[in-house]
Amino acid sequence: MRTHVRLAALLALAATAACGSSGASAAMNDSGPSGAASASSTSARQVSLPAGAAEAGARLDASPRHGEFVMVSAGGADSVRAWVVYPERRDKAPVVVVVHEIFGLSTWIRAVADQLAADGFIAIAPDFLTGMNVPNGPDGAPIADSARAAIQRVNQADVQRRIDAVARYGMALPAALPRYGIMGFCWGGSVSFNHAVHAPTLGASVVYYGTSPASDQLGSIRAPVLGLYGENDARVNATIAPADSAMRALGKSYAYQVFPGAGHGFLRQQDGQNGANLAATQGAWPRTVAFFRQHLER
């Protein structure tokens, strides 16, 4: 059974001319050489929403797409486990690396990867807790408290090295184009912004409610960056303005959108904040897909 679009999403998408429209519903800023029009442009292809946390398992069970776990060599004796999902398309697809939250490679992250594949990308979600012996719950996903404690011990240099390896693996697949993007959530959102600092060959980075790197680290960024944030997230949002100012001064492309009333983790908790999290999801996900299509499918 194919992924269904929520009725609310259909109504919202039909009511807006562009997925990045600021209007009364969102605070938006588009900076850098590409400008607002390119950063928020939409595709004519239909875009569905990813599952919320409560629906993720059922969505995966119903997915017609091929998903599998693989082990990817990350140099020396290191390997990283990853979940790979393939789109149903006749031509080659760009790759998107999906970076999990502090909860590890959860069922929800796997469902997000599946939705990216539904939208036409080869999605690869690495497990950065590989080899750390984090116990799993009944659903096979890491126990949240154990994952949260373990993520504090992860070395950030190792994270970037593993992303490099996973990206190479993905782009070497016979069904892949030699281009990749990255997206991440919370802890993974910060990792995704930092990967833009780290990787000169990155095609695009999408940051969901993750903190920005220090301004003096942004000079090496080449890829366009899109940030998507909830209004009720002061800790993360305090890092937006410094990044925006620095990226503008450097002539880099950084577009961001702050969704009113939405909280941290709105894509996972779509039933939260009295409807604001769902409204944020309805705005953020189509913009994400359009951004990747613009920068990776050329």
Side-chain angles (χ1 to χ4, degrees), residues 29 31 215 218 239-251 254 256:
N29 181 70
S31 65
S215 296
L218 302 176
T239 70
I240 297 174
D244 181 45
S245 296
M247 292 285 275
R248 284 179 180 273
L250 292 164
Y254 174 49
Y256 68 84

Side-chain angles (χ1 to χ4, degrees), residues 49-52 56 59-60 83 85 98-99 101 106-119 123 125 183 185 208-209 267-268 270 285 288:
L49 298 179
R59 187 78 69 89
L60 283 173
W83 169 251
V85 193
V98 182
V99 185
E101 312 153 293
S106 63
T107 302
W108 179 71
I109 284 292
R110 291 172 56 217
V112 170
D114 182 74
Q115 181 58 51
L116 271 174
D119 292 323
M183 70 183 304
F185 305 88
Y208 272 83
Y209 33 84
L267 202 78
R268 168 191 274 271
Q270 294 175 30
W285 189 258
T288 297

